[in-house]
Each structure stands twice: as C-alpha cells, then as structure tokens.
Amino acid sequence: MEPRRPPRTVSDPKVRQVGFVTPAAAPPARTVSDTAAMPAAGASQELPLSGSSLSPVMIPPPRHDGLSARVTALLPVPIAATALRLDNLQIRVGSYNQSEVLLGTPPMTSPSSRIEDAVSEFSDDVSASSLYGRTEPDKVGTAFPGRSGDLMPAKSVVAGGSIGSHTPENPPTASLVVKALPGITEKKRGMLEKQHDEAAAPKPLKEKTTKAERRALQEAQRAAKSAAKEGGGADPTNTKKDKVVKPTPQKKDVPEVAASSGKKVDRPLEKERKKEVLPLRMQFDDKHKVEKVKQRAIVNQREAKSRVEFFQRLPQYVHGTQLQELEAKFFQLDAVHPSVYKVGLHHLSGKITGGNARCIAMLLAFKEAIKDYSTPPEKALVRDLNAKISGFVSFLIECRPLSISMGNAIKFLKNRIAKLPLSMSELDAKASIQSDIDRFINQKIIIADKVIVRHAFAKIRDGDVLLTYGLSSVVEMILVYAHEHKKKFRIVIVDSRPKHEGQILLRRLVAKGLNCTYTHINAISYIMHEVTRVFLGAASVLSNGTVYSRVGTACVAMVAKAYRVPVLICCEAYKFHERVQLDSICFNELGDPDAILKVPTHVESYLYGCMDNDNLQLLNLNYDATPSDYVSMIITDYGMVSCNQLLIYCSVF
Amino acid sequence: MTRMDFEVVVLAGGASSNLSPLVSQELPKALLPVANRPVLSYVLELLEGSNLKDLIVVVEGEDAAQLVGGWISGAYADRLHVEVAAVPEGVGTAGALRSISSYLTANDVLIVSGDLVTDVPPGAIAATHRRHGAVVTTLLCSSPVSGPSDSGTSGGKEKAKKPVRHNIIGLDPTRQYLLHMATGAEVEKDIRLQKRILQAVGQMEIRADLMDAHLYAFKRTVLQDILDQKDKFQSIRQDILPYLIRTQLSSEVSRNGLVSSESGSNKSAVQDDLRWLSQHREIAPSTFQDSQPLSLKSQRDDQRSHKCCVYIANESKYCARLNSIQAFSDINRDVIGEASHLSGYSFSAQNNIIHPSAELGSKTTVGPQCMLAEGSKLGDKCSVKRSVIGRHCRIGSNVKIVNSVVMNHVTIDDGCSIQGSVICSNVQLQERVVLKDCQVGAGYIVTSGSEHKSESLARK
C-alpha cells in the first residue's frame, strides 16, 4: 500500500490554485509531479527540466515509483474513454476497499452504484476527474459514500478512514478543502446533483419525499446513530443507512447521514483535531462565534465596510478603527503588560513586519513581562503565568493575526512554562523561562539565519544573477554575506504594490554597494530570462511542502519554474508547520483594502469616490501558497531539503 | 507598578494674571468654576475615566496649593490618589516640573495642564507615544473659533489690542511627527525652518489651525536630563518643546535613553538581538527614511535622532484651554451647550439644567443651554439665556442675563441687564445695572443705575 501512495497525495487537488496556472502546460505537469511518475502528457517536457536544474542546485531526483507510475500511466488523461476509466476505478476501488473496511470506515455501497457516481463525476468536469482519477485510494473511496460528490461528507469519512492507516496530515487536508471552497463545492454539488439525477435516471426518486418517507429516514438515522454508538460503526448500520438513502438522494439528507456515520466513529479524533485547528481558524462569517469573540474582545470591532464574500470567514482588516480604539483604551487594559502592548501596536500599525522581526519582538516583550511578573498568592506560577501569556497572545491576535512563526514560538514558550517543576522557586522559574526565550531567539532565529546564510552561500557562484522578491531578512543577509565574501553577482529585486517592501531592501543593498536591478512583478516574465537563481523568503513552510509567503511569491516561483530557474526558499525551521494547506484561499490574512487603491504617483486615486459603492469590493491578501512543485529546494538551518523530505523534518521538529 | 509605566503630572498653575479679575488669592485658577465645577475637576475626571488614579498635582503658591488640596481631598477622597505639590510662584511650567522631577520613576510621564477641558482620551496620546517610542508626544487640537457667537461685539478689549494670533505648527506628510512649532507671540512676519529637518522629511505641512493643548507625554529620562542640564528653561511650551523639536535630528538625549532601557543578563546576546532588531524594526517606511537624498545620512544618524510626535485630536472631540477670559466664557458656554457630555449633568427636556432647589418667579424664562445651580432664586419676569448661574444667587425681578457666567452668592437686584459678562462670587449688582462684556471681580459692588461696557471691575 505504501509504495502506491506517494507521500504528497495531500497536495493533489491543486486544481484550485487560483491564478497561478499557465493554462496550457500546467495541469498535465502537475499530474506528473504529483504522482511522482513520468507518464505520457508532461514527461517529455518535464524530464529535461529537472535534469538541467539538477546540476547546479542538486535537486533530489524525482521519486520514480514504479507501481504508481504504471497505474497512473494506465489512468487516462481525462479525455479518454469512459469505460476504461471505469475499469480502472473499479479495480482500484475494490483493492482499497478491503483495507478500508478493515479500518472500520463505512464500506462502499454496491459497486454498480459507485460506478454510476463515478461516471457522473467524471462527466461532470475535468478538474474533478483529474482530482479523483489519480492514485489516491482514500480520495476515491471517500468520495463515493457521499455519493453526490459532495465534499462535506467526504471530509468526515476521510477522517474516519484515516484513523489507522493514513498519514496523519490527511484529515486536516480534507477539511481544509471543504472549508476553503464553500462556493465551489456548492456549485459543484449542484451540478453534480443534476448529473447524478440524469445518470441515475431509472431510480424511483423525485423531488418530494413523502412525510412518511422522511419519517422513516429520520428513524433510520437514529437507529444508525445508536448502533454506531454501540458497535463503533459496524457494517450493518451503514448498509441500513445506504438503503435508506438510496431512494432519496437529495442534497439535504446526504451530508447529514454521512456525517452522522463518520462522527460516531471517530469522536476523539475529531475532538483532537478541533482543538488543534480551531484557534487558528476562527470562522468570521459564523455569526454566533463572532458574537462570542466580540464579547471577549477588548475593543468592539467594527464591521469591515466591504467584505469579499469568499474571504468573510477570515478576520477582516480593521486597522483604521482598531488602532484608535486600542489607543484610547490604553490605560484601561490592566492585564496587558506595557511592552506587550507596545509590540501589539507595532504589529497593528505595521511598524514591525516580517515573521522573524515580529516573533522576536513578541518574545522580547514576553520576556519583559515575565521579568515584571510575580505570582499572585495562592496560585501556581505554572498555571497563572500560562494564563497570563494566553491573555497577551489574545491581545496580540486582536492587533493582528499571528504569524505561524509566532504561533510556534508561543507553543514553545507555553510548553516550557508548563514543564517547569512545581517545586521551583519563582525567581528560578522566571530566570529559567527568560533564558529559554533568549535561547529560542538565539538558536532558532539568529543562529539559524546564520546557518542558512552559509548554506545558501554555497549555492551562489560568480556571475550569477539572483532574483528575490519583496523583503526577506534572511535573503538580505545572504546577499550581503555573499557580497562581503567577494562573490560577483547581480541582484534583481522584484517588488509589488502596495507595500513596496522591495524598495527598502533595494535601498539597503545599494547602500552596501551591491549591483541591483529593481522591477515590479508585472515584469517578472521579462526579467526571468537573465536570472540564474531565485531566492525567496517564506512566512512558513507547511508539511506538504507548500510555501506560505508574501503574496506574489507563488507567481515568481511559477514563472521561475516555467523558465527552469531553480527556486530556493530560505526558511528557518521554527517556521515549519505541520498544517497542510492547498491554496491561499482557505487561510490567509487580509490587508488594508484601501491600500491597493492608492497609486503613489497620483494624488487622488482613480477609484476615489467609488469606495462607498456596494458593487466594489476590495481584496488585499497578504499571503499566498506556493505549491511545492515550483520549489526546487528549501534551505533551512538543518540543511537543504527538498519539499518531499520536508515531512520528516516537520515531524522531527 | 504604575499603570502602563506612565506617571501623570497635572500642572494646575496658580493665580494667573491672564485671568484677572476672575482669579484671586481665594480662588486659584484651578478652582475657577466651569458650569459650577472647578475647571480642574474636568482634567481629574478625564484621568479617572482613563483609569489613571495616581496623580501628582502641582500648584503654584502655598496658599493656592492648600486650597486645591483641600478641595481635592474633599471631592475625590476615595476615588483618586492625589499628591498635591506646592511650588513657588513664577517658576513656570518647567520649573514646576523640575521641582518634582526627582519623584518620577516611571518610564514615561504624562503632563496635563490643569486648565484643559477636553474629552480626548489621554490613553490615545500615551499609546501614540509608546508606539513611536517618541521622546515627546503632544496633543494638538483644532484651535477654538473664539469670540462669542451672538453678542455682537467682536471680543473684548484684550482681543482688540492683540492681533489674531496663529500657532504655526509644522507636520510631516503623515501627520505623525512634529517638525516645527511656534506660537503666535513668536511669529512676527517670517518663520525660520531648519533646513535639515526639511530635507529629512522632504515635505512639511504648515498648519495654523491647530493648537497645542498642553497635554504631553514625555520620556522621563529625557525630560529629567533636560531639566537638569538646561536650568534656564522656564516653560515646557516655550523652551523644552522647541528645544526637543529643534534637536530631533542631532540629539544627545536619546542616547542615554537607549542605554538605560537596555538590560539583561546575557549582555552580548541581548545586544545582538537589539542590533538585529534595529535592522529590521523600521521596516515600515517611516518618513525619515522615505526621502531619497537623506537615506544614507539618516541611517548613520539613526542613533542620534529622537522623535517628536503629535496626536491630532479628532474634529469631533472637544478640546479647549481655559487660558483667557474669552476662553472662560466660551468654555462655560460650550460645556452646557455643544460639549454638554463633559459637564456630567443630565439635561432637562428644555435642554437646560435647573437644580430642583432653585426657585423661579412667575413669568421667568430659562432658555436652553442654561444652568441654574442649587439654592438660587429668580424673581418675576426674568429671562436667562445661555448662561450659567451659580449657587445661592439672589436675582430680583425683570433681570436679563444673556451669555454670561454668574458665580456663587451673587446678588442681582431688580431691572439689571447682563450681557456677555462674568460676575464673580459675592458680587452685588444694585438696581438697573447694565453690564455688557464686563468682568466683575469677587466681592465688588456695582452701584445702582451704572452702565459699563467692556470693562473689568474689581476691588482695589
């Protein structure tokens, strides 16, 4: 089983990478690299590329996975005949079915119905077919119990199936997909519904179920629930469910049924996951939760003026009002230490930006706060201090959503505090935490950067033309270091509106006597001809190799890939995160929407006056996700790794 | 620990010559009633509302200090923790600070003038100060549109004497930094600007519609250094602030500030951090880095510059200083008028405040935006418009009071007409007195039938 499932299956549904797909070449290319095989479509293109880039940058050879390669080769490109696909599918589904039954997932319905579904899906749209048509047993399997291609049930079922066998990052993936694309899934669901109806025409269904039928359904569900409680999702319940569902394949029932069967099976897992995921993704379009948070919040957050519907669940950008209100309440905030307050304001006003700088500032502020801390009587330092830190953190979140690096640092700090022995005196405990913080900053950030600089330095040769995007502290250090060590190279700084962070880098580098070219991201494809290496910073590297970084990075990386220029991501290991993210929509940070309106050369924006128009919604994203395919290598403090090996690092650190 | 590492000093002043004959030995400026409350109470309540309860109030003159202290301990006994410090008269604001500066320990000091009537949250200034790491942050508010609105006479005599005074304030384009400041008296015909500062910012915005509200946040170390070193400095506004603004690009002061804030066991590591941070801290393009020509120089000078910041109060906020008689009437009018939320009273349906114990004769009308305090009696056929009348006043019949302030225990006999005037406590106005734009000092007796216009009447 393992060999057939390449570790990166997770990153597969890249169909949704909005905006970074070169229409002609991209889809086959992705299929190729995803399955880590070299089948028909993209092979001829792909091979020389990786071959050529191998020599300078030591790209690890793509995993040739005989078995899966053959299977995918068999797998037709979406245009091929349906019958063949069905066969393939059926075979594979069958073969995996067993294992999944063993694992206690809901077993499949009868093969015929499955195939019907498959037909409907494949005929539905190419993207979906390419999604499910790959060697992804779990996906194939899970897509079916949902039966209408609805992803909602698929999510929970995946969770169920993944208890034992799957790599641990699988369930979050599925849930991310679901959360990410409410619009798409809904649309697709609708389409599929139609298709399904057509495909399953002989079935005796019609729109309206009778009252009795609904009643029966309800009871069946109840029975299923109770049975599931007893038997932990045994087969009979599921078959019963299926029986019930069959006559009424309506949108409404399906998710409920599937969810109920899935939920019962893996309560604990679900819970665990919730605990892990929730704090990161508060759904800001969920009215109740928003209300709840508002009650807790220090300042009442105003509704952002024009919200882009797709991103409503993210914390909206409220700088304009937030800053004033926070400032006005300066003296009211008892619980927040002044130094933390200051850092929060700096984050909010954009005075401190960048993952490392923000993280260091936060840690130093925490250190100050811990220095001034004294345990209240009748309380344990461990608990009280942790609560206190939590208060600081929620304040910081209110100022600006935490970066992943900060999240990791907080996790580290809280862990250290929690592990303090109770017998330790307060002074010692405080000293120990403070030295821990110092050590974290030193080892994980400062020394890590130095190590990265050394590693990256080895990749710079005389005569190179290095391209960088935006402003990354590590990349800047690399460039300066290389310059100091008499490397002869030229730098292309690519920048973008509205922040123009590259200008700061440009100014610093030019001041140090480096030879620079400055351009904007719209010119990236013209300048890329000359470039021999691309160095990029990252806000985080996720465990599927996706690089989460300043918006625009994905574009640069993609163009670099198209021009066969190696892309090197420089990222400290403390920024790694075990999360999996497939696109930049499911999680992102919204910037100031008005910032994109301001064009520096014009006193007044062309859109001035349009801002109050309801038809205009402004979207300023801060980050994007670069798929691992565009990344040749990640340079971390533990050495240079390819995206494929990243998973190991993530789990180790 | 002090709240948010801020200490608050209220400079309550003493007997101000500007405000004679209103202020006297018995009534220091801090206790001048605004809508029947001492003006100092507005500041104290503003601070209390911001959760600042440990205050130092500095008063000029021993007697005045005793009066103020007595009033505070009576009014705010268990609400605030106030220390009243007396300084000799005539030392100026800087001198007053100098005498108490050794008591200050917190990182930053918030200095509030005691005659400020505002609803701008002091936290906003403090937070701006912190955010920028500034040496001084000052509150600017739009200058009041002075002059009584409908009394017809454009100001009193003092106004006629002096030409219109403008405060000239220079700001950077982002309106965060204070680059130049000159008050009306200093502005003759031309302003001198420092070339370096102008070069550094590239563009300076000169504003004449803003005024310094005398609410400052200072970095303590810097303030103390200046007070120690420059012992000639008299006033914050005229000496210390201009000095800081002038030297913001070539500063000696921020040096020691930096050093003193640095601490830690692991010295080298900490310094490494700080150096590293300072490299990346100012990523957001601040004005001083933005300008191309100066970029190199400013980086070198980075260590040697300090920031003077401003917080510009929102237009909707009320902000005024009681520093002239004109301001006194204006503030009295505003506090029961447009800025009525400041007064702390609840208004009646007629938009005025009449204490239940006040007695009104028949056919007496009290218009909107008026205030009638406890125990006052009005005779028949009186008319009160836009005026404040204090406690236990006895007012006869047929009296007209428009746009005026009448303090406590005033006796006004029948047939008087008072317009745009200020009448202090214990004054007696005999029958048929006509006052227009006058100030009557405490205890004065205006003989019957006399008419005064734009005069200042006080006991010799």
Side-chain angles (χ1 to χ4, degrees), chain A residues 217-238 240-241 257 259-265 267:
Chain A
L217 173 72
Q218 218 172 20
E219 257 164 26
Q221 282 172 7
R222 243 175 245 153
K225 265 186 200 172
S226 60
K229 243 176 234 166
E230 292 163 30
D235 287 7
T237 57
N238 287 308
K240 204 191 277 174
K241 169 202 81 189
V257 172
S260 70
S261 67
K263 221 190 280 167
K264 291 295 164 274
V265 180
R267 238 314 145 55

Side-chain angles (χ1 to χ4, degrees), chain B residues 202-375:
Chain B
Q203 202 177 356
M204 189 193 282
E205 188 178 304
I206 303 270
R207 302 277 294 258
D209 58 338
L210 292 175
M211 118 190 151
D212 179 8
H214 288 218
L215 174 51
Y216 308 105
F218 276 100
K219 198 175 179 66
R220 177 185 55 91
T221 50
V222 171
L223 182 65
Q224 283 175 337
D225 282 350
I226 293 177
L227 289 174
D228 287 347
Q229 287 162 13
K230 315 273 176 183
D231 48 4
K232 292 241 173 64
F233 280 6
Q234 282 267 310
S235 137
I236 296 177
R237 184 176 56 86
Q238 285 166 359
D239 298 321
I240 295 181
L241 201 55
Y243 172 76
L244 283 175
I245 293 170
R246 213 166 47 232
T247 58
Q248 55 185 320
L249 285 186
S250 55
S251 145
E252 301 107 40
V253 288
S254 64
R255 261 277 141 95
N256 6 9
L258 261 180
V259 174
S260 67
S261 72
E262 204 173 280
S263 61
S265 53
N266 198 347
K267 204 76 180 178
S268 66
V270 169
Q271 263 167 355
D272 201 9
D273 292 351
L274 287 179
R275 195 163 47 83
W276 194 87
L277 254 186
S278 70
Q279 190 186 356
H280 290 282
R281 174 164 269 170
E282 302 285 331
I283 281 168
S286 95
T287 332
F288 286 100
Q289 291 181 320
D290 225 3
S291 51
Q292 205 71 37
L294 198 84
S295 62
L296 296 180
K297 207 166 73 180
S298 86
Q299 267 174 5
R300 204 184 59 227
D301 285 354
D302 212 23
Q303 294 293 315
R304 307 223 302 115
S305 64
H306 60 239
K307 291 176 184 167
C308 302
C309 296
V310 292
Y311 177 87
I312 300 178
N314 201 325
E315 294 275 321
S316 61
K317 298 280 187 193
Y318 185 79
C319 187
R321 285 192 63 222
L322 203 168
N323 52 4
S324 67
I325 290 169
Q326 183 61 52
F328 179 75
S329 343
D330 289 346
I331 292 172
N332 263 299
R333 193 187 62 221
D334 291 339
V335 164
I336 54 170
E338 56 191 65
S340 55
H341 56 280
L342 278 172
S343 65
Y345 298 104
S346 56
F347 283 77
S348 72
Q350 286 81 38
N351 199 14
N352 53 22
I353 310 154
I354 298 175
H355 197 270
S357 63
E359 292 173 28
L360 275 71
S362 66
K363 291 192 181 171
T364 288
T365 56
V366 178
Q369 301 184 6
C370 282
M371 180 166 182
L372 208 55
E374 64 204 64

Side-chain angles (χ1 to χ4, degrees), chain A residues 144 254 293 332 343 346 350 409 426 510 600 616:
Chain A
F144 293 143
V254 177
V293 169
Q332 268 99 330
V343 169
H346 281 167
E426 188 183 313
V510 168
L616 176 68

Side-chain angles (χ1 to χ4, degrees), chain B residues 66-133:
Chain B
Q66 269 186 357
L67 283 170
V68 172
W71 169 73
I72 289 175
S73 56
Y76 295 96
D78 43 358
R79 288 158 66 190
L80 295 174
H81 179 250
V82 180
E83 284 173 50
V84 179
V87 296
E89 286 183 54
V91 291
T93 45
L97 277 182
R98 196 173 287 129
S99 60
I100 58 147
S101 77
S102 53
Y103 299 110
L104 301 173
T105 54
N107 204 5
D108 295 280
V109 189
L110 199 64
I111 295 167
V112 191
S113 171
D115 57 5
L116 183 66
V117 179
T118 184
D119 51 357
V120 178
I125 294 100
T128 309
H129 182 71
R130 266 294 152 72
R131 180 158 61 87
H132 290 295

